[in-house]
Amino acid sequence: MAKQLRKKIQSIITETDILFIELQEYVRYLLKKHVSSQDDRKEFMIHVNEDEIVQKLIEEGKLDEAKKYVKCLIEKIN
């Protein structure tokens, strides 16, 4: 059963999904250092997920560029 589930999950989750997860982990780390309000962090995460530039960079596999872009956004809110 575990083998079947693993195959099913691997067929559903894409490389883009994994990159978004990695980016979210990075953004969450930065936000905890710069934004004290949990509600504000949540709103910013939603904004990042919907940002067209972030989406384009991730779809192109440019995780490092997406991280730099988001870091600049976070620095602007301080």
Side-chain angles (χ1 to χ4, degrees):
M1 186 65 174
K3 184 177 180 180
Q4 291 173 345
L5 288 174
R6 182 173 39 83
K7 285 182 180 182
K8 189 180 280 190
I9 290 169
Q10 286 176 333
S11 70
I12 295 170
I13 297 175
T14 66
E15 183 66 28
T16 301
D17 296 328
I18 293 169
L19 292 176
F20 262 114
I21 291 168
E22 289 181 33
L23 180 63
Q24 285 182 346
E25 181 180 345
Y26 175 75
V27 173
R28 192 172 292 113
Y29 167 78
L30 288 179
L31 287 174
K32 284 185 177 185
K33 293 173 83 175
H34 297 283
V35 179
S36 59
S37 166
Q38 184 177 358
D39 289 336
D40 291 343
R41 290 194 303 262
K42 180 181 176 181
E43 286 298 317
F44 191 85
M45 288 295 291
I46 292 168
H47 172 73
V48 166
N49 289 335
E50 295 174 350
D51 188 286
E52 291 179 11
I53 295 172
V54 170
Q55 290 177 4
K56 183 175 186 258
L57 290 170
I58 293 298
E59 288 170 4
E60 294 174 354
K62 298 178 180 177
L63 178 60
D64 289 337
E65 288 183 40
K67 285 180 177 181
K68 289 177 189 175
Y69 173 74
V70 171
K71 185 176 180 183
C72 287
L73 292 178
I74 292 171
E75 289 171 352
K76 287 179 183 178
I77 61 175
N78 285 328

